[in-house]
Amino acid sequence: MAASATSKNRVIIVGGGPVGLVSALSLALRDVPVLVLEGYHELFKDLRAGSFHPPTLEVLEPIGVTTKLLDLGIVVPRWQLRDRKEGVVGTFELSLLKDETRYPYRLHLEQHKLTPLVYDMLKPIPHAEVRFSCRVTSVTQSDDGVVVTADTPNGTETFEGKWAIGADGGGSVVRKSAGIDFGGFTYPERFALVSTPYDLGQRGFTDTAYISHPVEWCAVFRLPDVKPPGLWRFLYGCRPNESEEESLSDDNVEERLQAVVPKQGRYETRHKTIYRVHQRVAETFRAGRIVIAGDAAHLNNPIGGFGLNSGLQDAMNLTDKMVGIWRGELDASALDRYVRQRRTANIEYVQEASMRNKRTLEEADDNVRKQRLDEMRKASQIPALAKEIVMKSSMIASMRRANAIA
Ligand SMILES: Cc1cc2nc3c(=O)[nH]c(=O)nc-3n(C[C@H](O)[C@H](O)[C@H](O)COP(=O)(O)OP(=O)(O)OC[C@H]3O[C@@H](n4cnc5c(N)ncnc54)[C@H](O)[C@@H]3O)c2cc1C
């Protein structure tokens, strides 16, 4: 990839994950020179996210990413809320959103299929450079630029630019360098993600389903993998006192999957991974010429599939404003609007909804649980109420809230 590696006149993006690469593409397509510094030696094959909500498909449309995602992904027009004992509590139809969005569905596609396609789109752009094996250690700034220091195969290198975008994930060095606090909490239990070729569709499961249980709640999703019917992923909370090895032992995983969907014979599993999960929002997403986005700025539990989606929505909101600044059409205060819009949407919707989703699935008090599930059952049968729920679960409500903030 050709590069203007020595020019200071560029935006430096730390992190070549989905948020960093999409930010780079969005800027580079509008003639803003970019340098992406990625710590790993190649694109990281991340198994975490797998769902794209309607507003994300909308914002990625102008940079040509949405059509490519649609070619690869599975269209998911409905999701179920289930109870482990009673079965289906309610089915929520995303077709209720047909007058609100061009994409009235969820699209399921592995996160690690997004990054290569964005990287391929960046490659022919002469003013876009992606450097691997460059682990950033600090970012400093002056009135007119930033200096990013990284450990690289050539030793310690420094890179100058006009702005720095921290898209370097939850442990963000950029956020720490800028002295931005990251308040919130970490769940005591870890979350397991297990995939199997066993087709839950034949057992009446929709391609996204949430299964309530006071101890062993679970969520399942179908992802494309290499060919239909794809792979089904189980996401569940591990028992708090188990070690990682115990949680992911074959027998333990088998027991957890059989408890959700009993079947004859053992489950064949393809991937088993375990994650620490947090609810955190940075105190600000901007410090002068340093701006953060995606997991660097906020973290939430995966129930509802909001993390990557909100990160990609950040990336497009931020880069739209950065392009305006680059062209002299906006002043730097536009970035404060980015912070107001995206931070508010995250706090009011993403944090709130992801924590509420977890509480609904795991409620231990039988009466409260029954009441919550009854409310959801009723709502699924009344189109106006069901629409209110899918407006939130599909992130349309949070996107509208963000965009309305001046
Ligand atoms: C179990 C699980 C399931 C999930 N499922 C979903 C889902 O269905 N839908 C959804 O929307 N979200 C989901 N998420 C969240 C989603 O995976 C993340 O929100 C998303 O990966 C964030 O993207 P990002 O680009 O901000 O950060 P990351 O994906 O973490 O990328 C950061 C990049 O920066 C690089 N990096 C880090 N430090 C440095 C450094 N110092 N120098 C240079 N490079 C660096 C890393 O190598 C990485 O490539 C899930 C999360 C979990 C844990």
Side-chain angles (χ1 to χ4, degrees):
M1 198 179 295
S4 52
T6 53
S7 164
K8 296 178 193 175
N9 204 31
R10 61 188 172 190
V11 175
I12 300 182
I13 297 168
V14 182
V19 173
L21 291 180
V22 163
S23 299
L25 182 64
S26 169
L27 291 170
L29 285 175
R30 289 177 282 177
D31 299 327
V32 179
V34 290
L35 169 66
V36 179
L37 299 172
E38 165 57 44
Y40 200 56
H41 64 278
E42 58 184 6
L43 294 178
F44 182 64
K45 191 176 177 196
D46 201 320
L47 292 173
R48 286 180 293 169
S51 54
F52 294 82
H53 289 299
T56 311
L57 297 171
E58 283 173 10
V59 295
L60 295 180
E61 197 184 81
I63 59 168
V65 170
T66 299
T67 43
K68 292 177 191 279
L69 295 178
L70 289 171
D71 284 345
L72 298 172
I74 298 173
V75 167
V76 178
R78 60 187 63 85
W79 52 268
Q80 290 170 334
L81 177 63
R82 305 174 70 108
D83 177 84
R84 206 163 96 179
K85 282 198 210 119
E86 293 170 26
V88 180
V89 172
T91 301
F92 290 85
E93 298 288 343
L94 276 77
S95 58
L96 290 167
L97 302 172
K98 67 181 187 326
D99 296 330
E100 312 292 341
T101 174
R102 291 185 294 287
Y103 306 101
Y105 44 79
R106 288 167 73 138
L107 188 76
H108 280 188
L109 183 69
E110 296 87 350
Q111 167 169 352
H112 60 78
K113 291 187 185 154
L114 167 68
T115 40
L117 79 80
V118 177
Y119 181 52
D120 283 347
M121 292 171 82
L122 276 167
K123 277 182 194 164
I125 304 177
H127 52 275
E129 184 184 13
V130 180
R131 283 192 55 177
F132 292 98
S133 302
C134 289
R135 183 149 296 278
V136 170
T137 52
S138 73
V139 184
T140 57
Q141 59 180 313
S142 60
D143 286 347
D144 66 348
V146 293
V147 178
V148 177
T149 305
D151 289 336
T152 79
N154 309 321
T156 301
E157 285 187 73
T158 56
F159 303 89
E160 290 182 80
K162 289 287 172 201
W163 299 92
I165 296 179
D168 50 341
S172 176
V173 165
V174 178
R175 186 189 65 237
K176 289 174 193 161
S177 275
I180 298 173
D181 194 36
F182 201 34
F185 67 90
T186 300
Y187 289 100
E189 75 274 33
R190 278 174 291 207
F191 285 43
L193 201 55
V194 176
S195 52
T196 170
Y198 181 67
D199 183 8
L200 300 186
Q202 66 190 358
R203 304 289 297 271
F205 283 73
T206 49
D207 289 340
T208 296
Y210 301 99
I211 304 125
S212 166
H213 184 275
V215 187
E216 297 190 347
W217 59 267
C218 181
V220 296
F221 311 88
R222 183 165 72 94
L223 287 163
D225 192 43
V226 289
K227 62 174 176 24
L231 286 181
W232 284 81
R233 277 194 191 168
F234 285 73
L235 170 79
Y236 55 83
C238 301
R239 296 174 188 116
N241 300 323
E242 274 171 2
S243 69
E244 214 166 289
E245 291 70 33
E246 285 165 343
S247 295
L248 291 187
S249 74
D250 289 348
D251 287 347
N252 200 333
V253 167
E254 179 67 17
E255 186 196 323
R256 294 296 301 262
L257 270 48
Q258 288 284 357
V260 182
V261 188
K263 76 173 197 70
Q264 287 200 326
R266 284 179 82 87
Y267 272 90
E268 180 190 340
T269 58
R270 293 283 168 81
H271 315 104
K272 293 188 284 182
T273 39
I274 197 159
Y275 299 94
R276 276 243 169 266
V277 174
H278 320 261
Q279 301 284 161
R280 293 182 188 276
V281 184
E283 63 176 340
T284 178
F285 295 180
R286 178 187 178 206
R289 292 182 167 273
I290 302 173
V291 196
I292 54 175
D295 276 18
H298 43 73
L299 293 168
N300 55 271
N301 80 58
I303 306 166
F306 300 132
L308 174 62
N309 280 277
S310 44
L312 296 173
Q313 293 166 21
D314 292 350
M316 293 309 298
N317 183 312
L318 167 60
T319 53
D320 282 351
K321 293 176 171 75
M322 190 85 75
V323 168
I325 295 167
W326 201 264
R327 291 176 177 166
E329 295 162 2
L330 294 173
D331 67 47
S333 69
L335 296 178
D336 297 325
R337 185 165 180 232
Y338 157 73
V339 181
R340 287 193 296 278
Q341 291 182 319
R342 297 304 308 161
R343 190 169 178 276
T344 306
N346 199 279
I347 292 170
E348 291 183 2
Y349 286 83
V350 171
Q351 297 295 318
E352 216 277 318
S354 54
M355 288 192 277
R356 192 185 51 237
N357 287 348
K358 185 168 184 290
R359 282 197 303 273
T360 300
L361 290 190
E362 70 184 2
E363 178 56 58
D365 181 316
D366 270 350
N367 291 331
V368 178
R369 206 172 112 74
K370 191 173 171 328
Q371 189 192 333
R372 284 214 183 119
L373 294 181
D374 280 347
E375 281 166 12
M376 290 296 279
R377 182 179 291 111
K378 260 184 225 143
S380 72
Q381 291 157 1
I382 301 171
L385 293 182
K387 185 169 176 183
E388 237 176 78
I389 288 172
V390 291
M391 284 291 283
K392 286 189 183 154
S393 69
S394 67
M395 302 183 87
I396 294 177
S398 67
M399 185 61 124
R400 289 191 182 167
R401 166 74 175 121
N403 290 347
I405 296 172

